[in-house]
Amino acid sequence: MKKTVRTVLPGARDILPEIGINMSLVRRTTCRRFTIALLFLVLPEVVFAKPSVLILDCALQDDTMLPDVPDELARTASVAPVLRATLREFGYTVPDYVGSDENLALTETGYFLAHPKIAAELGRSHNADWVGICTQFKFSFLVSILRVHLVDVAKNQVVTHAETWMRGSMTDFRMTRRSTRSLGEQVDDLLQQITVADDPADGANR
């Protein structure tokens, strides 16, 4: 009977020590590379975590000859929910907000803009980093401007604002939604720019 002779080829574990490579060093290097790769997967979520943004109800500032008609008020009221949903889609934490007639009036009259510290207090009560003060300024029957002023809660200051034109009739909710989403995209861009430009020490204190 013939005997089968099996040839066992040397593996890396056998060869590497013979050519002067320390196996423990190989293991440490492999482990280090795995750790670095894992950090690249995790760090973007940690370093670039998006802030919390409280969006107040949108107020109508109607400068036309027939101000505050019910259809226009309904369109204005539809803006904030769409804006909140848009920012949530972009990864922001957007606290639920139960508005009041008093706060809506403070937005409409510009009181929150003139006293951003009061708006910032609302943000703090909702654990938010930013407060969005939203208004629709209607100066024509077919054209208006949507604006969101952003209050930095930590600084009690209005830092920047986004705006977009809204055209069409007051019952055209598809156009309203499109304009509001455009406004949300601008808010996202602005907050990302501010986050990148912020001093890390300042961001740590936020």
Side-chain angles (χ1 to χ4, degrees):
M1 177 180 290
K2 293 183 178 179
K3 292 183 179 181
T4 303
V5 178
R6 295 181 179 179
T7 302
V8 180
L9 295 175
R13 194 183 297 268
D14 303 311
I15 295 174
L16 293 180
E18 293 182 4
I19 60 177
I21 297 179
N22 191 318
M23 280 301 297
S24 63
L25 178 62
V26 172
R27 283 192 291 270
R28 288 198 301 270
T29 303
T30 303
C31 182
R32 190 180 298 114
R33 288 178 178 174
F34 175 77
T35 303
I36 292 172
L38 186 62
L39 286 174
F40 271 110
L41 292 175
V42 175
L43 278 177
E45 296 299 323
V46 177
V47 176
F48 300 107
K50 293 187 175 181
S52 174
V53 186
L54 176 67
I55 299 296
L56 305 184
D57 290 337
C58 191
L60 175 63
Q61 298 171 332
D62 197 334
D63 201 29
T64 64
M65 297 182 67
L66 293 173
D68 301 339
V69 297
D71 283 343
E72 193 64 74
L73 290 171
R75 176 164 77 158
T76 305
S78 73
V79 169
V82 174
L83 182 57
R84 293 176 189 131
T86 301
L87 292 177
R88 286 182 181 125
E89 287 178 19
F90 291 156
Y92 292 90
T93 299
V94 181
D96 293 330
Y97 174 72
V98 179
S100 66
D101 292 340
E102 179 183 359
N103 285 345
L104 190 63
L106 294 178
T107 298
E108 180 185 352
T109 58
Y111 183 87
F112 279 142
L113 289 181
H115 303 85
K117 184 178 180 179
I118 306 300
E121 289 175 1
L122 275 177
R124 275 187 284 274
S125 69
H126 289 77
N127 295 317
D129 303 300
W130 295 87
V131 175
I133 302 172
C134 181
T135 56
Q136 179 194 350
F137 175 59
K138 186 177 181 182
F139 58 90
S140 162
F141 289 114
L142 293 177
V143 182
S144 59
I145 300 175
L146 282 180
R147 289 193 181 101
V148 173
H149 287 82
L150 294 172
V151 176
D152 186 326
V153 172
K155 298 178 180 178
N156 296 322
Q157 292 178 353
V158 177
V159 173
T160 186
H161 79 278
E163 67 177 47
T164 186
W165 291 72
M166 188 162 63
R167 304 177 188 276
S169 71
M170 63 187 76
T171 57
D172 188 351
F173 283 94
R174 186 174 63 176
M175 176 59 69
T176 303
R177 181 178 180 83
R178 185 184 305 168
S179 298
T180 304
R181 288 190 64 86
S182 173
L183 193 68
E185 291 170 0
Q186 290 185 48
V187 170
D188 178 38
D189 289 341
L190 288 170
L191 289 177
Q192 288 196 57
Q193 292 171 20
I194 292 170
T195 301
V196 170
D198 251 353
D199 185 346
D202 181 57
N205 295 327
R206 184 180 297 282

